[in-house]
Amino acid sequence: MIIGILKETADNRVAIVPKTLKKFNEKDIEFQIEKGAGVLASYPDKKYEKYAKVSDRLSVLKQADILVTINPIPEQELKLIKKGAMLVAIFSPFNNAALIEQMKELELQAASLDMIPRTTIAQTMDILSSMASIAGYRAVLLAAMESPGFFPMMITAAGSIKPCKVLVLGAGVAGLQAIATARRLGAIVEAFDVRAAAKEEVESLGAKFVEVPGAIDKRDAGGYAVEQTPEFIERQQQEVQKRAASSDVVITTAQILGKKAPILLTKETVDKMKPGTIVVDLAASSGGNCELSEMDKTVIRKGVKIIGNSNLASDMPKDASFFYSNNVANYLKLIIKEGNLHLDLNNEIIDNTILTKS
Ligand code: NAD
């Protein structure tokens, strides 16, 4: 069996790093990697040469039985791939129905790693958590760089500066990493979540948990929060407004699987915020937690900067690729038995991820 690794077309990461190949030691499996695939992530071809055949893109596309990428392979290249091959990537199936249809028509198989359930048993393959953790960290660093002020308290001969106030909306994987990073930089942090269980985690990181009573507090199948009532969201928006008005940085991360992100920062709230406040909206790709967010754009309104970068992990490509690679390798080990693809749909992880199967 040939497993192909392609260079990403608009991302600095690479799906598999050399260290993973070294560990993946399975006879009957040959790895082929597109020339230069890991260069932007600081993994030059020479690091792969011992474990994989470094080849041109067309050969990898044509020969591979499994093609591993982070983002979906561009649609115009799908017809070059051999029938029955398996594509493993993040397909965001809720937003990509046409692409899935096209793969079906071309008799390609597809597994979407973002559909791995976020349960204990699947933890070692959970690419969403790996990438969210990086995004939470990068969001705070980005906010610190964009902020016109310091994060830590400063007492100097030229005067004293109070610590920065950071508000985090949604204390899941990205939110908790954002809280931890902001605390390390010396900020005072407050956080909201609809799950009461998040309180202990938030407080253990030295932040204040803000509760809005009346939340529907349960995790749906797959480890995600459930949608709240419009009445609750409205009360929450009011509570967020009070806190956001005095914050210097707001990091938003609230999400509900397969649904538009809840609006927690309204236009009216942004208008009440101080000029110079930085908002990093991690949910921008699913509509945003801020009413004014635009995906992959920075919007400035009355001095408030709202950053909608949807791929912060690409800005930290070396370690992001390392995490992704380990997650993918664990997934590949689940779907390959003795050098053959073995898709056991009785396995919850496999069943959840397979979009098309021949
Ligand atoms: P997660 O499911 O672990 O966390 C989301 C949290 O939001 C949960 O704790 C949930 O309880 C909470 N939540 C849901 N509705 C809420 C509400 N109304 N008020 C307060 N909290 C609420 O998700 P995650 O992996 O941390 O990802 C968070 C977001 O970051 C997602 O939108 C994801 O797509 C995005 N993300 C962005 C990037 C990027 O580069 N921009 C990278 C990775 C993830």
Side-chain angles (χ1 to χ4, degrees), residues 118 132 135 172-174 193 195 225 236 253-255 282 309-312:
R118 297 178 95 175
V173 180
D193 203 293
R195 294 175 299 111
Q236 192 184 20
T253 79
Q255 75 161 346
L282 289 185
N309 186 330
S310 69
N311 193 4
L312 286 163

Side-chain angles (χ1 to χ4, degrees), residues 13 118 126-136 138-139 168-176 192-195 198 201 217-219 223-228 232-233 236 240 252-257 261-264 280-286 289 296 308-314:
R13 295 169 293 171
R118 297 178 95 175
D126 183 357
I127 54 112
L128 286 186
S129 290
S130 307
M131 296 305 117
S133 179
I134 291 171
R138 291 292 297 191
V168 177
L169 305 179
V173 180
L176 288 173
F192 276 80
D193 203 293
V194 287
R195 294 175 299 111
E201 293 169 318
D217 176 10
K218 63 174 190 197
R219 285 235 162 192
Y224 288 89
V226 292
E227 213 167 6
Q228 302 296 318
F232 174 84
I233 292 286
Q236 192 184 20
V240 167
T252 73
T253 79
Q255 75 161 346
I256 293 128
L257 179 68
I263 296 288
L264 304 179
V280 182
D281 191 343
L282 289 185
S285 66
S286 48
N289 293 138
D296 294 328
N309 186 330
S310 69
N311 193 4
L312 286 163
S314 172

